[in-house]
């Protein structure tokens, strides 16, 4: 009997029953695998870490995208760093204000595996989507005031995604955004202590670079601990301003096919349990 096991705390982790291995390739950057599971649909794993399953990916992608796009008053140009499975692009493209999405994925293998084995996840055929297979960090560093929203949909902070958690990258995002720009990024599980230093580092970088910065949470069963943190940095508008909440209510009515995000979820996601808030208290490391 096949099983996928991911150990994120010594001998503690996640087990998923596997029916078959659909895809397994060592690319120039990482090992990319897709499994057919018993209960979660097809599951993509990179370097032994769950990226998404067909059944729970909506939580991650809706929450990485919609709080940020609701915060911006009129998002037209959106940049996605990573996100080669296309799920974040699918959510961004639900917004009718969006005219252009640049998706920059370092590893074409992720795109190929997703197109073949997670065909309902991505929205690769939308003419507003432009796919670049190159290093997202270099791409961002070459932009200045070009985007309304940047979505950082990287893997975990080991391997090619490590740089996405560095202060220099957050600075580059700030520079790549227009004057009312917003960045949204995934920032790991509050339950995995080995990630706390990295989480605090990104938070400190956002906090010292953007006018507003907030951490928010969602619940994703196949990610370590089931609780996942994300962060927003915004140059002008706070993600909980009344206008943002109104926009969020409009999106709830107009975007269609939302399975997680709504106005109340937007508001509630920024309420942090004490043990999570404490992770971000600076301890002079
Ligand atoms: N260990 C989970 C980290 C997931 C980060 N990105 C997921 C990619 C889905 N588009």
């Amino acid at each position: 009997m096949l099983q996928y096991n991911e150990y994120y705390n010594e001998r503690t982790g996640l087990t998923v029953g596997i029916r078959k291995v659909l895809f397994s390739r060592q690319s120039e950057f990482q090992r990319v695998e897709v499994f057919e599971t018993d209960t979660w649909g097809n599951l993509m794993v990179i370097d032994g870490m769950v990226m998404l399953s067909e059944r729970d990916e909506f939580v991650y992608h809706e929450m990485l995208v919609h709080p940020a796009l609701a915060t911006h008053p009129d998002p037209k140009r959106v940049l996605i760093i990573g996100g080669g499975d296309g799920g974040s692009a699918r959510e961004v493209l639900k917004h009718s204000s969006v005219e252009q999405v640049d998706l920059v994925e370092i590893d074409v293998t992720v795109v190929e595996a997703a197109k073949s084995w997670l065909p309902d996840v991505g929205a690769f055929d939308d003419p507003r989507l432009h796919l670049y297979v190159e290093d997202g960090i270099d791409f961002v560093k070459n932009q200045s005031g070009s985007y309304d929203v940047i979505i950082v949909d990287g893997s975990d902070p080991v391997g090619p995604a490590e740089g996405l958690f560095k202060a220099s990258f957050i600075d580059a995002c700030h520079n790549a955004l227009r004057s009312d720009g917003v960045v949204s990024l995934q920032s790991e599980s509050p339950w995995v202590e080995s990630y706390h230093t990295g989480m605090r580092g990104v938070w400190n970088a956002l906090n010292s670079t953007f006018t507003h910065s907030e951490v928010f949470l969602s619940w994703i069963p196949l990610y370590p601990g089931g609780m996942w943190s994300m962060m927003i940095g915004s140059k002008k508008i706070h993600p909980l301003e009344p206008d943002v909440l109104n926009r969020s209510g409009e999106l709830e009515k107009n975007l269609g096919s939302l399975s997680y995000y709504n106005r109340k979820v937007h508001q509630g996601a920024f309420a942090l349990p004490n043990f999570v808030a404490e992770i971000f208290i600076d301890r002079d490391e």
Side-chain angles (χ1 to χ4, degrees), residues 60-79:
Y60 177 87
H61 291 125
E62 289 185 22
M63 289 304 282
L64 191 60
V65 167
H66 301 309
L69 269 78
T71 299
H72 194 284
D74 189 24
K76 286 188 165 62
R77 282 176 55 87
V78 178
L79 171 64

Side-chain angles (χ1 to χ4, degrees), residues 49-52 60-61 85 153-156 186 223-224 228:
M49 292 169 287
V50 166
M51 291 296 119
L52 66 144
Y60 177 87
H61 291 125
D85 52 73
D153 182 8
S155 181
D156 301 275
Q186 76 88 2
Y223 284 179
W228 207 250

